[in-house]
Amino acid sequence: MAILTASRSPCSLSPSPRSQDPFWVKKRYSVTQLPPITVTSHLSTVHEAEVHSRSRTITRTPTPVHSVTPSKTSGDSVLDESDDHNLHAALTSEKTSNTVQSEFGHCANQSYRYISQHNPDKPVAEDEIEEPPYYILFTTYFSYLLLVVIGHLRDLLGKRFAKSSFIDLMIHDGYAPLVSDFQSFYARRLVQRVNDCFYQPISGVAGRTILVYDRYSEDFNRTQTYTGTTTRALNISSYNYLGFAQAHGSYADAVEESIKRYGVSACGTRLEGGTCDLHRIAEALVARFIGTEDALICSMGFATNSTFIPALVGKGCLVISDEHNHASARIGVRQSGACVRMFKHNDMGSLEELLREVISQGQPKTHRSWKKILVIVEGLYSMEGTMVNLPKIIELKKKYKFYLFVDEAHSIGALGPHGRGVADYFNVPPSSVDVLMGTFTKSFGAAGGYIAGPKLLINSLRMHGHSGPHAEAMAPPVLMQIVATTTSIMGVSSVDDLATSKSTSHQPTFKPSTNGVAMSEVEDEYLHPGMVPASALPTWFSIPSSLADGSEARERIRRLAFNARYLRAGLKKLGFITYGHPSSPIVPLLTFNPGKMLMFAQMMRTRKPTPLAVVVIAYPVTPLVTSRVRFCVSASHTKEDIDVVLRACDEIGDILDLKHGKGKRWPIEEIVKRSVELVHSI
Amino acid sequence: MSAGNATLEPLLTWLTLILAQLERTFYKVPGSAVIARYVRSSHQNDPGRTVLELILIVFAVRTLMQSRSRDKSEGKLIKFSEKEIDELIDEWTPEPLSAPLTEWEQRDLASVPVIAGPNGPKPKILSTGKTVINLASYNFAGLAGNEHIKERAIETLRKYGLGSCGPPGFYGTVDVHLELERDIADFLGTESAILYSQGFVTISSVIPAFCKRGDIIVADRAVNFAIQKGIQISRSTVRWYDHNDLKSLEDVLISVEKDRRKRGTPITRRFIITEGIFERDGEIVDLPKLIELKHKYKYRLILDESISFGSVGRTGRGLTELYNVPASQVDMLVGSVANGLCSAGGFCAGSTIVTEHQRINGTSFVFSASMPPLLAVAGSEGISFLRNTPSALTSLQENVRAVRAVLEKTEGIAVVGHRASPIVHFHLKIPCIANGSANGIATNPTTVMPPPTGPSFDYEAEEKILQDIVDDALANGVFITRAKRLRGQEMVETRPTVRIVVTAALTKKEIEKAAGVVKGSVAKVLGKRKA
């Protein structure tokens, strides 16, 4: 990893007056001043629009500004709707008027919406893995081989002739090296070459656009030099699926109010004096949102897996894990002491085969039967964009009696017609999954994670999970972001529909928990627990009317679904190889060659007029050959933003020879024109 | 015969042609002549060798072709027919996913007080609506509810939004994170620092980032749960020394070195892992002596300052300030922004090599979203508060003395820990005796279990009495808590304690009054029990 230095060589080309200061040097109260924007891209016009809209919303009230004027400013024209939907624009501007264009793009055209939902008439599609031509595979392996050989040569010669720079890798002064040269070989000799693409510091909101600090390296990425300037780029990489990363608007207003009322910290662990009423309210809301009896909240997404899985399984238990499961789940399983077996990624046949083997064989050596078997899968896989085949797993679960743990870190909020994750997407009752885990970092623009399930289970986890007595409780502002966003997705019912609940007695009843928040309420519909009664919310939370009916969030969910499908379909039609499910907002574009991956990121970042911030990933996160670019689509993107991405990919893909996909190709103009048709065709 | 030959003739010619063609192509490949020459000459010298080499090649090809997954267990599998497997599956009944909580656990969970509104020195309890004095939450320097921090948090919210929406590697590193890292490094005087988004996972991620299989860890027997988990993940060889006994540590260090000499193995990485102020009992480690030992025996020191950072020393820099030891002497100094600075997250401070290594290898750093920017700013503001307000730490120490003075005079309980520790633990003086007792056995560094001293105790019975004390104190307006442990998951079971967290946000009078209430509750509960 690069060492951040502020030094700047005298021979550098463009010494700017600010360049002597690295950006983190104390500028305590400068947070409100934006650093200078360098690129005269059309995105800077977005910045102007932002200033406009800030001046408009300078007197923020909890209710939205009911401005009659359409939100279009002269500067927006490039990114905003350019077609004739003035009527729509006027209508929707009411809802989006207190958002900022650089954080959340306006998109009034109702045809740019899609409902993400599984078609029950069709079988669940198997993941297709498209293979590249052999020469691509060959050159990729060859480039790794070359890098490894050169790396070892440099180590060999370096250790002999430049001992001083290798001192940390050799035994010195009676100490073994802190990091052995073998362990760090990959980081030193391969990752360092592409370090330019990672750990780029940003400023401001990671919304529709992002302010990236400009930097360059004079010593082959060992250190990075910051120029002090920033570039505003289109952000197609943050986990901001529903676009809730916003510094302005109703959600931020609610968070501000919570800071005023609660401060910033919970000051303690959940079991030892860090629980406040907001925790209880948020947990009850999350349980309602997921559609389970109870839920618990943990202050960190990673820790949700790593500290609660050990409370589920232990010695004598078996965990069957998808091979692409996230590191946090693996750490959790390792800490639990349970046995682990893996099955091929998202391959239900492999899972069934494994289940038959392990149940019939029992524990290794003793052949005693397993205490219990827990299958851990993810709703949406973060690197592949693939979606779990939930109906099939539930079918297997009935036969093989295992427990099912679904990690919905990426899918919650992002999938399903109501944004309630994979269960919602497949229209499966959430109770058919034993443990539903998810995070708030991604779709909700907050932090931390949750585990939802039956009350018995959740209470047991509260007592036996590591987080309860040892980890800090979630901070109140984060809780409020969760409360505000989940509420807006569900909508608020003005009347307490206690009367209607009586008639539907077969539904699970939400017992009033001892938190003083009346939750004795039954949803009208089992699968989609309906609206939140106002009594379940903090009394001081005055939710604006546009959020209360759930329409604002519904727009977000549908925009996300459209954008996700459009980008994927567009890339396919351009001839790229992509992985994953059509509805997945994670769209990996395969570059195979690690060198091309680096070039792709750099060309995207320096692209004129619109720079794009993209995430690239390679081995060891992915298999060796399948280096990739990972796009994360957001509801904050407009259709035009996706056009921009597609155009950029089209050009760069030609230059880098990345188009190896099969199937009929369309020219870019046709894709842009027939986008709606495309989205509905896949 | 001849007829046979005649039919074979074209075939043979064809074969010869093919062979000739193959030979020509072979010689076209650059370098092939060398190989041919080598094979020919080696065959000439020693025909047996050719055979051996051929066998080797065949073996190598076979090894390469073999599938490398789970071949070892294949042989041990019992063969079943499909029908038998189906029967076994039908027969198998798994245990329930979670056992229901016991009656005591249910009571324990229900007795956790919920605070209505902001937490701070005097929060309101939701169930009773009463305002109580808080001696349970971490608020050492009194940063909770600080208006300036709130203001700065709101400013940050308005610029950065709430979540960072990404891991540090993928556009999740916000400038305020780097600012807080720099602030921590400056504050402590280390080269750099790295920020994790939760305090608890910090050290359990730092340890396995450096300690690998084959490395040696020498750790205190009473380290906190997070360290235990980190050690478990690391798979290193662990040696244990008696709790906070540096003599025992030295013995272990000597025995490890002796062991290595005897085996003649090369030097591996060696670490001492301990806590600054022990979360479990409030003991403080003798840092200068520890540093001396570490240098003498060439160990690296991983010091967990989750409790001591922000609570001891003149300005809250922690143990290094208390003992006036440069923080750069500690190789990996781990602290908690959540506890010490009333925000969220944790950090590891040390040399640049140490922190940069974690940016690729610290699992919970790499694979987790970075912390919300406004919490990072709250941390930075906490540091500047500590820098500018040394009086906070002075009054904290005064309050500690006041609490201890009252509690030490209380009958029936034993106050443990160091007198400067801002967390004060006490347990029952007379243990609830369980069946059986054991005699002293010599310390064995290969096991975490301490040598048994004195009679064993009935864990749950003691917990219940302590909980009665806690409940009674709450009813009388003082919020304290039992030190909650994960029974059955901890490596060593220690005496249950009640933990008091002292804060600078209360006046000495209020603290004394609160300690008096605790004293009253102890007397009442223990008195009732006797009667």
Side-chain angles (χ1 to χ4, degrees):
Chain A
M1 176 61 205
I3 301 151
L4 307 170
T5 64
S7 66
R8 203 184 151 81
S9 97
C11 59
S12 74
L13 288 170
S14 56
S16 67
R18 285 177 53 91
S19 66
Q20 299 304 318
D21 292 345
F23 56 84
W24 64 80
V25 163
K26 295 286 173 294
K27 37 172 179 142
R28 287 257 151 237
Y29 298 100
S30 66
V31 167
T32 43
Q33 301 158 8
L34 279 167
I37 314 294
T38 48
V39 175
T40 51
S41 69
H42 79 276
L43 283 174
S44 61
T45 59
V46 171
H47 175 66
E48 277 166 37
E50 177 182 326
V51 175
H52 268 273
S53 96
R54 269 198 189 166
S55 58
R56 234 190 4 249
T57 59
I58 200 82
T59 50
R60 273 180 302 274
T61 50
T63 45
V65 186
H66 289 268
S67 65
V68 192
T69 49
S71 62
K72 267 197 221 174
T73 57
S74 55
D76 295 359
S77 54
V78 191
L79 282 174
D80 210 320
E81 300 298 319
S82 47
D83 35 12
D84 50 357
H85 296 287
N86 285 327
L87 180 66
H88 284 300
L91 281 173
T92 50
S93 69
E94 183 202 341
K95 288 170 193 158
T96 48
S97 61
N98 60 356
T99 63
V100 176
Q101 283 275 359
S102 65
E103 294 169 3
F104 195 89
H106 299 182
C107 173
N109 189 340
Q110 284 297 321
S111 56
Y112 298 151
R113 306 283 188 273
Y114 190 84
I115 297 173
S116 119
Q117 195 169 14
H118 176 63
N119 181 355
D121 303 332
K122 275 200 222 155
V124 182
E126 293 285 315
D127 304 326
E128 292 170 43
I129 300 291
E130 241 182 288
E131 293 288 340
Y134 280 114
Y135 80 92
I136 294 286
L137 287 180
F138 178 75
T139 49
T140 306
Y141 276 119
F142 184 74
S143 58
Y144 274 107
L145 186 76
L146 201 67
L147 288 170
V148 170
V149 169
I150 292 175
H152 278 299
L153 267 177
R154 283 174 67 187
D155 274 8
L156 195 78
L157 297 174
K159 274 182 192 163
R160 183 146 304 183
F161 301 110
K163 274 203 176 115
S164 59
S165 49
F166 282 82
I167 193 91
D168 295 321
L169 297 174
M170 296 190 278
I171 293 181
H172 60 99
D173 203 15
Y175 286 94
L178 189 58
V179 187
S180 75
D181 56 351
F182 176 73
Q183 277 166 7
S184 66
F185 179 82
Y186 190 78
R188 283 182 298 119
R189 295 302 181 204
L190 281 85
V191 178
Q192 202 173 72
R193 288 170 180 268
V194 294
N195 239 344
D196 189 31
C197 315
F198 307 115
Y199 292 97
Q200 266 170 316
I202 62 153
S203 185
V205 180
R208 175 197 187 193
T209 64
I210 196 166
L211 264 183
V212 184
Y213 279 95
D214 298 324
R215 62 181 188 183
Y216 61 93
S217 179
E218 285 170 340
D219 51 4
F220 303 103
N221 284 334
R222 224 164 286 143
T223 58
Q224 300 282 349
T225 311
Y226 288 84
T227 60
T229 54
T230 50
T231 303
R232 188 169 282 281
L234 187 65
N235 180 12
I236 188 97
S237 53
S238 288
Y239 303 134
N240 177 28
Y241 300 129
L242 292 181
F244 284 127
Q246 284 176 296
H248 301 274
S250 319
Y251 305 100
D253 294 342
V255 175
E256 180 175 331
E257 184 64 25
S258 78
I259 297 175
K260 285 183 184 151
R261 283 171 183 271
Y262 285 83
V264 290
S265 176
C267 305
T269 69
R270 283 302 300 275
L271 294 179
E272 293 175 331
T275 303
C276 69
D277 50 353
L278 213 47
H279 286 107
R280 292 289 187 87
I281 292 171
E283 286 182 347
L285 265 181
V286 169
R288 172 176 281 276
F289 178 69
I290 309 295
T292 56
E293 213 182 340
D294 204 351
L296 65 82
I297 283 178
C298 173
S299 56
M300 183 191 190
F302 183 94
T304 314
N305 271 338
S306 73
T307 65
F308 285 104
I309 290 177
L312 286 170
V313 285
K315 278 215 170 64
C317 302
L318 176 72
V319 171
I320 296 181
S321 163
D322 189 288
E323 63 179 349
H324 284 332
N325 271 352
H326 191 253
S328 56
R330 295 183 198 192
I331 296 273
V333 173
R334 255 170 75 184
Q335 286 183 353
S336 73
C339 275
V340 204
R341 295 291 295 270
M342 304 240 249
F343 67 96
K344 210 168 149 252
H345 173 57
N346 224 359
D347 183 340
M348 293 302 115
S350 157
L351 172 63
E352 184 163 10
E353 207 175 289
L354 183 62
L355 279 166
R356 291 181 75 83
E357 184 201 312
V358 293
I359 297 176
S360 62
Q361 297 293 334
Q363 298 186 33
K365 283 184 190 161
T366 60
H367 292 286
R368 261 185 229 155
S369 59
W370 298 101
K371 283 187 186 159
K372 53 194 168 191
I373 295 177
L374 182 69
V375 173
I376 302 182
V377 290
E378 285 186 33
L380 202 59
Y381 290 86
S382 59
M383 296 298 157
E384 315 290 312
T386 44
M387 198 193 293
V388 67
N389 185 345
L390 196 63
K392 178 72 186 170
I393 289 203
I394 288 172
E395 200 185 304
L396 289 177
K397 177 176 147 60
K398 277 179 196 135
K399 185 170 175 199
Y400 294 100
K401 297 175 277 193
F402 56 80
Y403 298 107
L404 182 58
F405 181 110
V406 180
D407 178 342
E408 295 219 68
H410 287 268
S411 52
I412 191 70
L415 287 180
H418 311 83
R420 287 182 167 123
V422 270
D424 189 19
Y425 181 85
F426 287 112
N427 203 18
V428 167
S431 59
S432 52
V433 180
D434 298 285
V435 193
L436 282 155
M437 177 268 169
T439 63
F440 300 116
T441 319
K442 281 96 184 180
S443 296
F444 304 97
Y450 68 82
I451 290 184
K455 192 161 196 72
L456 198 81
L457 171 81
I458 299 299
N459 274 345
S460 161
L461 291 179
R462 284 192 175 117
M463 285 303 283
H464 300 135
H466 305 166
S467 276
H470 294 295
E472 73 243 26
M474 188 180 270
V478 185
L479 287 167
M480 196 55 217
Q481 172 86 2
I482 295 163
V483 169
T485 49
T486 48
T487 305
S488 82
I489 297 175
M490 288 189 274
V492 183
S493 62
S494 46
V495 282
D496 261 345
D497 38 355
L498 252 156
T500 53
S501 68
K502 292 278 186 281
S503 57
T504 51
S505 53
H506 62 282
Q507 318 291 10
T509 315
F510 286 91
K511 284 257 165 61
S513 28
T514 46
N515 55 10
V517 181
M519 291 286 296
S520 58
E521 220 280 316
V522 174
E523 51 280 3
D524 342 328
E525 229 183 306
Y526 174 62
L527 282 178
H528 315 298
M531 294 179 143
V532 193
S535 58
L537 299 171
T539 44
W540 49 267
F541 176 37
S542 56
I543 187 160
S545 57
S546 66
L547 268 56
D549 62 1
S551 57
E552 201 265 357
R554 204 176 309 128
E555 285 282 287
R556 288 174 187 251
I557 292 168
R558 292 180 182 176
R559 274 177 66 176
L560 172 69
F562 177 87
N563 290 346
R565 292 175 79 91
Y566 176 39
L567 179 63
R568 181 177 296 274
L571 288 175
K572 271 229 159 90
K573 282 282 176 231
L574 284 174
F576 290 102
I577 297 182
T578 59
Y579 282 175
H581 193 277
S583 287
S584 145
I586 301 167
V587 186
L589 183 158
L590 277 290
T591 63
F592 300 100
N593 218 303
K596 287 180 183 174
M597 175 194 88
L598 172 70
M599 281 307 291
F600 191 94
Q602 285 175 346
M603 288 168 89
M604 284 297 233
R605 197 176 56 229
T606 54
R607 202 177 144 76
K608 301 279 162 60
T610 318
L612 291 106
V614 298
V615 162
V616 290
I617 35 182
Y619 182 81
V621 182
T622 67
L624 194 67
V625 278
T626 51
S627 303
R628 63 194 70 169
V629 181
R630 186 187 60 177
F631 298 116
C632 285
V633 181
S634 163
S636 65
H637 294 130
T638 60
K639 187 250 172 194
E640 284 69 26
D641 292 344
I642 308 293
D643 292 346
V644 168
V645 178
L646 286 172
R647 280 181 215 276
C649 287
D650 184 41
E651 274 175 40
I652 296 171
D654 279 334
I655 297 168
L656 296 180
D657 180 31
L658 294 175
K659 298 178 175 174
H660 300 294
K662 294 173 189 78
K664 195 168 174 290
R665 292 188 193 175
W666 286 6
I668 179 76
E669 291 311 324
E670 194 173 352
I671 293 172
V672 170
K673 214 185 290 160
R674 293 166 64 185
S675 60
V676 178
E677 181 191 330
L678 251 183
V679 162
H680 289 271
S681 72
I682 60 166
Chain B
M1 275 308 271
S2 61
N5 271 347
T7 44
L8 275 179
E9 199 103 335
L11 193 69
L12 281 174
T13 10
W14 182 74
L15 266 178
T16 344
L17 269 173
I18 289 288
L19 277 175
Q21 178 70 36
L22 272 178
E23 205 179 337
R24 268 204 300 282
T25 14
F26 177 70
Y27 279 110
K28 268 183 200 157
V29 178
S32 56
V34 184
I35 296 170
R37 214 163 40 234
Y38 168 77
V39 171
R40 211 173 286 143
S41 63
S42 85
H43 184 73
Q44 221 162 30
N45 296 344
D46 183 5
R49 190 173 144 185
T50 317
V51 178
L52 193 73
E53 275 176 359
L54 265 178
I55 293 169
L56 271 179
I57 287 168
V58 168
F59 185 72
V61 167
R62 194 180 146 246
T63 319
L64 279 176
M65 302 296 274
Q66 232 168 24
S67 113
R68 255 156 286 177
S69 56
R70 295 232 157 242
D71 262 349
K72 277 173 279 168
S73 63
E74 286 297 296
K76 290 178 203 154
L77 290 187
I78 307 166
K79 286 262 183 291
F80 290 113
S81 70
E82 288 296 301
K83 205 176 146 224
E84 282 169 327
I85 292 179
D86 282 334
E87 276 171 15
L88 282 166
I89 288 164
D90 282 341
E91 274 168 30
W92 181 61
T93 38
E95 286 178 10
L97 184 56
S98 62
L101 295 178
T102 62
E103 208 175 302
W104 159 240
E105 283 173 326
Q106 276 175 12
R107 189 198 142 188
D108 195 5
L109 184 63
S111 68
V112 176
V114 179
I115 293 161
N119 200 349
K122 288 175 192 164
K124 205 170 93 182
I125 300 294
L126 187 71
S127 53
T128 57
K130 276 207 308 196
T131 304
V132 294
I133 289 181
N134 189 349
L135 292 179
S137 309
Y138 292 115
N139 182 21
F140 299 119
L143 289 162
N146 183 309
E147 286 302 323
H148 177 65
I149 294 181
K150 280 192 200 173
E151 249 168 60
R152 291 278 294 129
I154 291 171
E155 269 174 45
T156 316
L157 171 75
R158 288 307 179 184
K159 186 181 171 196
Y160 295 89
L162 188 92
S164 62
C165 287
F170 302 149
Y171 304 100
T173 311
V174 182
D175 45 11
V176 293
H177 294 132
L178 298 171
E179 268 172 41
L180 178 55
E181 285 176 358
R182 188 100 312 263
D183 284 341
I184 291 168
D186 283 349
F187 187 54
L188 290 171
T190 58
E191 221 172 277
S192 66
I194 176 172
L195 194 64
Y196 285 77
S197 45
Q198 194 191 51
F200 174 69
V201 296
T202 308
I203 193 148
S204 34
S205 192
V206 171
I207 293 172
F210 296 101
C211 311
K212 307 282 178 196
R213 201 186 286 275
D215 295 345
I216 288 163
I217 292 175
V218 179
D220 190 291
R221 281 208 162 85
V223 289
N224 65 34
F225 193 73
I227 298 180
Q228 293 173 23
K229 285 291 140 188
I231 289 175
Q232 185 196 340
I233 289 287
S234 75
R235 294 172 171 156
S236 305
T237 313
V238 196
R239 295 287 176 269
W240 303 91
Y241 67 94
D242 289 349
H243 177 40
N244 212 16
D245 180 351
L246 295 190
K247 181 77 196 54
S248 160
L249 170 64
E250 187 159 15
D251 292 344
V252 175
L253 298 184
I254 291 169
S255 79
V256 167
E257 182 58 18
K258 212 187 268 169
D259 218 36
R260 188 187 72 80
R261 289 249 168 86
K262 207 162 75 187
R263 287 198 203 146
T265 46
I267 299 172
T268 52
R269 282 177 290 256
R270 293 172 298 195
F271 299 88
I272 297 172
I273 302 180
T274 184
E275 283 177 84
I277 294 180
F278 285 87
E279 188 227 303
R280 185 167 292 196
D281 58 8
E283 287 290 348
I284 295 185
V285 75
D286 181 359
L287 191 64
K289 175 82 180 146
L290 187 65
I291 300 270
E292 188 196 313
L293 287 177
K294 150 197 141 62
H295 282 309
K296 188 171 168 194
Y297 295 95
K298 312 266 184 209
Y299 274 71
R300 290 187 173 92
L301 175 61
I302 303 181
L303 185 67
D304 187 352
E305 290 223 56
S306 293
I307 303 290
S308 48
F309 176 76
S311 71
V312 294
R314 197 183 64 86
T315 54
R317 286 176 170 87
L319 221 55
T320 48
E321 193 180 28
L322 185 70
Y323 284 111
N324 203 14
V325 172
S328 51
Q329 298 276 304
V330 180
D331 298 85
M332 293 110 195
L333 195 157
V334 178
S336 167
V337 183
N339 297 349
L341 302 174
C342 268
S343 172
F347 66 85
C348 173
S351 66
T352 313
I353 296 173
V354 165
T355 53
E356 293 308 311
H357 178 70
Q358 288 173 60
R359 285 181 208 277
I360 297 180
N361 294 285
T363 11
S364 63
F365 177 82
V366 176
F367 293 104
S368 152
S370 52
M371 75 156 91
L374 68 88
L375 294 173
V377 169
S380 288
E381 288 302 320
I383 287 181
S384 67
F385 175 87
L386 288 177
R387 274 179 195 273
N388 302 327
T389 333
S391 61
L393 272 291
T394 325
S395 51
L396 176 64
Q397 278 306 316
E398 267 170 31
N399 287 351
V400 170
R401 276 195 293 276
V403 167
R404 290 188 76 95
V406 176
L407 291 181
E408 274 164 4
K409 275 186 233 136
T410 308
E411 272 180 46
I413 55 166
V415 181
V416 294
H418 194 277
R419 64 193 150 71
S421 158
I423 54 170
V424 182
H425 285 258
F426 67 79
H427 58 74
L428 300 177
K429 203 164 245 168
I430 306 154
C432 302
I433 296 173
N435 300 330
S437 62
N439 299 318
I441 302 164
T443 311
N444 177 7
T446 56
T447 160
V448 66
M449 298 312 284
T453 48
S456 55
F457 51 90
D458 184 345
Y459 195 90
E460 202 172 302
E462 288 201 8
E463 266 190 329
K464 280 178 182 163
I465 297 167
L466 293 179
Q467 188 59 45
D468 286 342
I469 294 172
V470 168
D471 290 347
D472 190 73
L474 187 68
N476 290 307
V478 177
F479 178 19
I480 52 175
T481 176
R482 271 180 27 246
K484 301 281 168 89
R485 309 232 164 84
L486 293 163
R487 210 181 162 204
Q489 299 187 58
E490 297 259 4
M491 283 173 164
V492 185
E493 197 155 88
T494 48
R495 292 283 297 279
T497 56
V498 166
R499 193 199 62 201
I500 288 172
V501 181
V502 186
T503 168
L506 293 166
T507 62
K508 200 173 167 194
K509 242 190 201 135
E510 286 166 325
I511 283 273
E512 271 168 353
K513 194 180 141 220
V517 169
V518 177
K519 186 179 175 178
S521 298
V522 170
K524 195 169 145 197
V525 171
L526 293 184
K528 214 183 264 170
R529 194 167 152 257
K530 265 181 206 151

